[in-house]
Amino acid sequence: MDAIIWENDHLRLLDQTKLPGTMEYIECYDYRKVAESIKRLAVRGAPAIGAAAAYGLVLGAKQINTTDRKEFLEKLEAIAGELRATRPTAVNLAWALDRMLMRVNTSSEQDVEKIRRVMLEEAHAIYQEDVQSNRKMGEFGQELLPNGARVLTHCNAGALATAGYGTALGVIRAAKEKGKEVSVFADETRPLLQGARLTAWEMVQEGIPVTLITDGMAGYLMAKKKVDCVIVGADRITANGDVANKIGTYGVAVLANYHKIPFYVAAPLSTIDMTLSSGEEIPIEERDPKEVTHHAGQAMAPDGVQVWNPAFDVTPNSLVTAIITEMGIIYPPYTENLAKICKPNK
Ligand code: MRU
């Protein structure tokens, strides 16, 4: 169930808009196809769009028809700009593209064909490091889960949202691999149902007991003492530990706080944006109102209704019990403790 596959000369992206019904790959030979796939959420989840964009830039580099290094680099910057503009909130996208450009710009290589090869190596490294980070997060994070833990998650922070294994779902997978019994409650995650379509699907595939609930049921679930902790992923974490994640996450965090349930965020360092001091500064993507008014092409609301459709919200650091990273579990005070594991310019 790989969301992203590099095959010889092109990129294959699992079309997540068709899950769980159909498993179909989009064959990308053109960087524009990758950009379009990111935009319409065929590939989604912060680390996954970073890795996909890195490979997209490799495709773009192949499409630049020149042997002149300077001209090549100028055109590459423009293509990176197009890929970067596809989605604003998940910092992994910009992070991966910056890393690709940095690798190219700091290489003394003059031969454009060799630069293209170096770029493919770098994209592979981004992909592989993400899988390794998720495994490490799983190792650290599973310590937080007692045997029998019942975990609530929101959206999909699984293998589909990353290069593999997953962040929040990686922690759950790791607990299972340690022999612990663990079960999951998946918020359906309106409006695009990543919880119902993707998280529930991943868990069913894996044989991890999963119960699907609508988003509005989370409070009652907690009141009935059916949840031991919440684990979610993140699209961007600022230097003070504020967390942008799928719309609805903030509500879950408030509920968890009220019910005194730990609220954990699992995310790799590539999701931490030390250039922003607080969540107020995170650009929040607003998407097509039709995602709210329509379901499977069918209108669910009257014509002419006004719609607000932010794709993400920001959970303040005060509601976050701990952040699980590949460097270990980070506790408050986040400003101090995140600075210890992140480079200041990142
Ligand atoms: O709009 P999406 O589906 O890309 O949103 C995804 C999320 O919000 C995930 O929780 C987040 O990217 C973390 S994925 C490991």
mmCIF file of all heavy atoms in Angstrom, residues 41 44-47 87 154-158 161-162 167 194 233-235 245-246 312, ligand 1:
data_model
loop_
_atom_site.group_PDB
_atom_site.id
_atom_site.type_symbol
_atom_site.label_atom_id
_atom_site.label_comp_id
_atom_site.label_asym_id
_atom_site.label_seq_id
_atom_site.Cartn_x
_atom_site.Cartn_y
_atom_site.Cartn_z
ATOM 1 N N LEU A 41 -5.591 16.592 -3.763
ATOM 2 C CA LEU A 41 -5.503 15.633 -2.653
ATOM 3 C C LEU A 41 -5.464 14.161 -3.092
ATOM 4 O O LEU A 41 -5.827 13.266 -2.329
ATOM 5 C CB LEU A 41 -6.666 15.837 -1.667
ATOM 6 C CG LEU A 41 -6.442 16.828 -0.513
ATOM 7 C CD1 LEU A 41 -5.973 18.184 -0.998
ATOM 8 C CD2 LEU A 41 -7.641 16.962 0.361
ATOM 9 N N ARG A 44 -1.762 13.233 -0.394
ATOM 10 C CA ARG A 44 -2.004 14.211 0.671
ATOM 11 C C ARG A 44 -1.358 13.720 1.952
ATOM 12 O O ARG A 44 -0.878 12.592 2.028
ATOM 13 C CB ARG A 44 -3.488 14.543 0.831
ATOM 14 C CG ARG A 44 -4.509 13.478 0.576
ATOM 15 C CD ARG A 44 -4.499 12.325 1.544
ATOM 16 N NE ARG A 44 -4.531 12.764 2.927
ATOM 17 C CZ ARG A 44 -4.109 12.063 3.957
ATOM 18 N NH1 ARG A 44 -3.610 10.846 3.780
ATOM 19 N NH2 ARG A 44 -4.172 12.519 5.186
ATOM 20 N N GLY A 45 -1.363 14.606 2.965
ATOM 21 C CA GLY A 45 -0.626 14.311 4.194
ATOM 22 C C GLY A 45 0.730 15.000 4.066
ATOM 23 O O GLY A 45 1.379 14.898 3.018
ATOM 24 N N ALA A 46 1.132 15.715 5.133
ATOM 25 C CA ALA A 46 2.298 16.600 5.038
ATOM 26 C C ALA A 46 3.581 15.930 4.509
ATOM 27 O O ALA A 46 4.154 16.378 3.512
ATOM 28 C CB ALA A 46 2.529 17.263 6.390
ATOM 29 N N PRO A 47 4.039 14.832 5.141
ATOM 30 C CA PRO A 47 5.296 14.246 4.638
ATOM 31 C C PRO A 47 5.149 13.678 3.219
ATOM 32 O O PRO A 47 6.089 13.742 2.421
ATOM 33 C CB PRO A 47 5.602 13.128 5.645
ATOM 34 C CG PRO A 47 4.838 13.515 6.877
ATOM 35 C CD PRO A 47 3.595 14.166 6.387
ATOM 36 N N ARG A 87 -0.112 23.826 -2.175
ATOM 37 C CA ARG A 87 -0.795 23.802 -0.873
ATOM 38 C C ARG A 87 0.044 24.608 0.126
ATOM 39 O O ARG A 87 1.247 24.373 0.239
ATOM 40 C CB ARG A 87 -0.994 22.358 -0.361
ATOM 41 C CG ARG A 87 -1.933 21.544 -1.251
ATOM 42 C CD ARG A 87 -2.410 20.285 -0.552
ATOM 43 N NE ARG A 87 -3.469 20.564 0.393
ATOM 44 C CZ ARG A 87 -3.937 19.666 1.268
ATOM 45 N NH1 ARG A 87 -3.421 18.457 1.321
ATOM 46 N NH2 ARG A 87 -4.916 19.977 2.087
ATOM 47 N N HIS A 154 -7.561 11.687 14.445
ATOM 48 C CA HIS A 154 -8.343 12.552 13.555
ATOM 49 C C HIS A 154 -7.610 12.640 12.225
ATOM 50 O O HIS A 154 -6.390 12.688 12.182
ATOM 51 C CB HIS A 154 -8.447 13.947 14.206
ATOM 52 C CG HIS A 154 -9.410 14.861 13.510
ATOM 53 N ND1 HIS A 154 -10.776 14.741 13.635
ATOM 54 C CD2 HIS A 154 -9.205 15.912 12.677
ATOM 55 C CE1 HIS A 154 -11.365 15.690 12.921
ATOM 56 N NE2 HIS A 154 -10.428 16.409 12.319
ATOM 57 N N CYS A 155 -8.365 12.646 11.143
ATOM 58 C CA CYS A 155 -7.797 12.685 9.787
ATOM 59 C C CYS A 155 -7.009 11.404 9.520
ATOM 60 O O CYS A 155 -7.303 10.357 10.102
ATOM 61 C CB CYS A 155 -6.931 13.918 9.588
ATOM 62 S SG CYS A 155 -6.536 14.251 7.852
ATOM 63 N N ASN A 156 -6.028 11.471 8.651
ATOM 64 C CA ASN A 156 -5.178 10.303 8.390
ATOM 65 C C ASN A 156 -3.723 10.708 8.467
ATOM 66 O O ASN A 156 -3.256 11.519 7.664
ATOM 67 C CB ASN A 156 -5.461 9.695 7.010
ATOM 68 C CG ASN A 156 -4.445 8.604 6.666
ATOM 69 O OD1 ASN A 156 -3.454 8.864 5.992
ATOM 70 N ND2 ASN A 156 -4.649 7.402 7.167
ATOM 71 N N ALA A 157 -3.028 10.176 9.468
ATOM 72 C CA ALA A 157 -1.592 10.396 9.611
ATOM 73 C C ALA A 157 -0.932 9.018 9.585
ATOM 74 O O ALA A 157 -0.188 8.630 10.474
ATOM 75 C CB ALA A 157 -1.297 11.138 10.909
ATOM 76 N N GLY A 158 -1.252 8.271 8.545
ATOM 77 C CA GLY A 158 -0.767 6.905 8.416
ATOM 78 C C GLY A 158 0.229 6.743 7.290
ATOM 79 O O GLY A 158 0.831 7.721 6.820
ATOM 80 N N ALA A 161 -0.202 8.969 4.332
ATOM 81 C CA ALA A 161 0.102 10.392 4.479
ATOM 82 C C ALA A 161 1.601 10.664 4.524
ATOM 83 O O ALA A 161 2.030 11.808 4.704
ATOM 84 C CB ALA A 161 -0.552 10.913 5.753
ATOM 85 N N THR A 162 2.385 9.596 4.403
ATOM 86 C CA THR A 162 3.842 9.711 4.561
ATOM 87 C C THR A 162 4.506 8.849 3.471
ATOM 88 O O THR A 162 3.828 8.286 2.617
ATOM 89 C CB THR A 162 4.265 9.164 5.941
ATOM 90 O OG1 THR A 162 3.885 7.767 6.005
ATOM 91 C CG2 THR A 162 3.593 9.899 7.089
ATOM 92 N N THR A 167 2.834 8.554 10.960
ATOM 93 C CA THR A 167 3.274 9.254 12.176
ATOM 94 C C THR A 167 2.370 8.818 13.347
ATOM 95 O O THR A 167 2.757 7.952 14.121
ATOM 96 C CB THR A 167 3.240 10.784 11.966
ATOM 97 O OG1 THR A 167 1.924 11.195 11.575
ATOM 98 C CG2 THR A 167 4.237 11.203 10.897
ATOM 99 N N GLN A 194 -11.072 11.853 5.403
ATOM 100 C CA GLN A 194 -9.807 11.113 5.434
ATOM 101 C C GLN A 194 -9.813 10.049 6.535
ATOM 102 O O GLN A 194 -9.135 9.027 6.399
ATOM 103 C CB GLN A 194 -8.618 12.066 5.659
ATOM 104 C CG GLN A 194 -8.291 12.934 4.465
ATOM 105 C CD GLN A 194 -8.986 14.288 4.518
ATOM 106 O OE1 GLN A 194 -10.069 14.410 5.092
ATOM 107 N NE2 GLN A 194 -8.384 15.294 3.917
ATOM 108 N N GLY A 233 -1.488 13.678 13.754
ATOM 109 C CA GLY A 233 -0.291 14.149 13.053
ATOM 110 C C GLY A 233 -0.283 15.665 13.035
ATOM 111 O O GLY A 233 -1.046 16.311 13.760
ATOM 112 N N ALA A 234 0.572 16.250 12.193
ATOM 113 C CA ALA A 234 0.627 17.713 12.086
ATOM 114 C C ALA A 234 1.059 18.118 10.686
ATOM 115 O O ALA A 234 1.749 17.366 9.995
ATOM 116 C CB ALA A 234 1.609 18.279 13.112
ATOM 117 N N ASP A 235 0.606 19.291 10.301
ATOM 118 C CA ASP A 235 1.026 19.873 9.014
ATOM 119 C C ASP A 235 2.111 20.919 9.211
ATOM 120 O O ASP A 235 2.913 21.169 8.317
ATOM 121 C CB ASP A 235 -0.176 20.478 8.298
ATOM 122 C CG ASP A 235 -1.053 19.363 7.757
ATOM 123 O OD1 ASP A 235 -1.904 18.855 8.512
ATOM 124 O OD2 ASP A 235 -0.831 18.958 6.597
ATOM 125 N N ASN A 245 -3.106 21.285 12.111
ATOM 126 C CA ASN A 245 -3.462 19.958 11.596
ATOM 127 C C ASN A 245 -4.884 20.051 11.026
ATOM 128 O O ASN A 245 -5.518 21.116 11.075
ATOM 129 C CB ASN A 245 -3.358 18.898 12.709
ATOM 130 C CG ASN A 245 -3.447 17.485 12.153
ATOM 131 O OD1 ASN A 245 -2.750 17.132 11.193
ATOM 132 N ND2 ASN A 245 -4.305 16.652 12.711
ATOM 133 N N LYS A 246 -5.350 18.972 10.480
ATOM 134 C CA LYS A 246 -6.661 18.932 9.811
ATOM 135 C C LYS A 246 -7.756 19.613 10.631
ATOM 136 O O LYS A 246 -7.808 19.452 11.849
ATOM 137 C CB LYS A 246 -7.010 17.463 9.553
ATOM 138 C CG LYS A 246 -8.340 17.205 8.899
ATOM 139 C CD LYS A 246 -8.556 17.981 7.616
ATOM 140 C CE LYS A 246 -7.493 17.746 6.569
ATOM 141 N NZ LYS A 246 -7.538 18.730 5.461
ATOM 142 N N PHE A 312 -7.535 23.449 7.667
ATOM 143 C CA PHE A 312 -6.745 23.150 8.875
ATOM 144 C C PHE A 312 -7.141 24.097 9.998
ATOM 145 O O PHE A 312 -7.764 25.131 9.750
ATOM 146 C CB PHE A 312 -5.238 23.332 8.568
ATOM 147 C CG PHE A 312 -4.774 22.439 7.443
ATOM 148 C CD1 PHE A 312 -4.704 22.913 6.149
ATOM 149 C CD2 PHE A 312 -4.456 21.112 7.671
ATOM 150 C CE1 PHE A 312 -4.324 22.088 5.099
ATOM 151 C CE2 PHE A 312 -4.075 20.272 6.635
ATOM 152 C CZ PHE A 312 -4.007 20.766 5.344
HETATM 153 O O1 MRU B 1 -5.650 17.778 3.726
HETATM 154 P P1 MRU B 1 -4.787 16.596 4.077
HETATM 155 O O2 MRU B 1 -5.476 15.285 3.903
HETATM 156 O O3 MRU B 1 -3.452 16.669 3.357
HETATM 157 O O4 MRU B 1 -4.501 16.791 5.617
HETATM 158 C C1 MRU B 1 -3.659 15.860 6.248
HETATM 159 C C2 MRU B 1 -3.517 16.079 7.715
HETATM 160 O O5 MRU B 1 -4.023 17.026 8.272
HETATM 161 C C3 MRU B 1 -2.608 15.127 8.453
HETATM 162 O O6 MRU B 1 -3.055 14.943 9.758
HETATM 163 C C4 MRU B 1 -1.189 15.728 8.499
HETATM 164 O O7 MRU B 1 -0.778 16.095 7.213
HETATM 165 C C5 MRU B 1 -0.199 14.792 9.093
HETATM 166 S S1 MRU B 1 0.149 13.452 8.039
HETATM 167 C C6 MRU B 1 1.348 12.487 8.737
#
